[in-house]
Amino acid sequence: MARQWRLETKGGVYHVLSRGNNRQDIFKDDNDRRLFMQILGLASLRFSIETYGFVLMSNHYHLLLTTNDANLSQFLS
């Protein structure tokens, strides 16, 4: 059974995570992590997202976000 769609709300607080397929690494090294953080920062500005916390592991990441508009799916795509 597929999980239910995430409700997107203005001012919503979200815990977002993403893992590599079959627990494969998604970050090769610290340069990859820095690039990810730069892209996250640019996307946060573009979509008016506030990032409160993050964890970058070798094969996954966690983000704690607030959306100022109901646009989480646009931010993540």
Side-chain angles (χ1 to χ4, degrees):
M1 177 181 204
R3 85 167 183 73
Q4 293 181 345
W5 287 64
R6 179 181 288 130
L7 296 177
E8 294 187 27
T9 60
K10 185 175 182 176
V13 177
Y14 300 95
H15 170 231
V16 175
L17 70 100
S18 183
R19 293 187 186 275
N21 291 336
N22 298 317
R23 298 186 185 241
Q24 293 175 333
D25 287 351
I26 58 173
F27 300 110
K28 184 172 72 172
D29 54 25
D30 286 340
N31 289 330
D32 279 353
R33 288 179 183 84
R34 279 190 281 276
L35 178 60
F36 178 85
M37 294 304 299
Q38 289 174 352
I39 294 169
L40 177 65
L42 292 172
S44 294
L45 290 172
R46 178 178 177 189
F47 293 101
S48 189
I49 301 285
E50 295 180 47
T51 303
Y52 294 108
F54 60 90
V55 177
L56 306 180
M57 307 297 284
S58 61
N59 67 344
H60 70 285
Y61 64 82
H62 297 262
L63 305 173
L64 182 60
L65 314 166
T66 295
T67 56
N68 291 315
D69 300 309
N71 61 350
L72 182 64
S73 60
Q74 293 170 328
F75 169 74
L76 294 174
S77 60

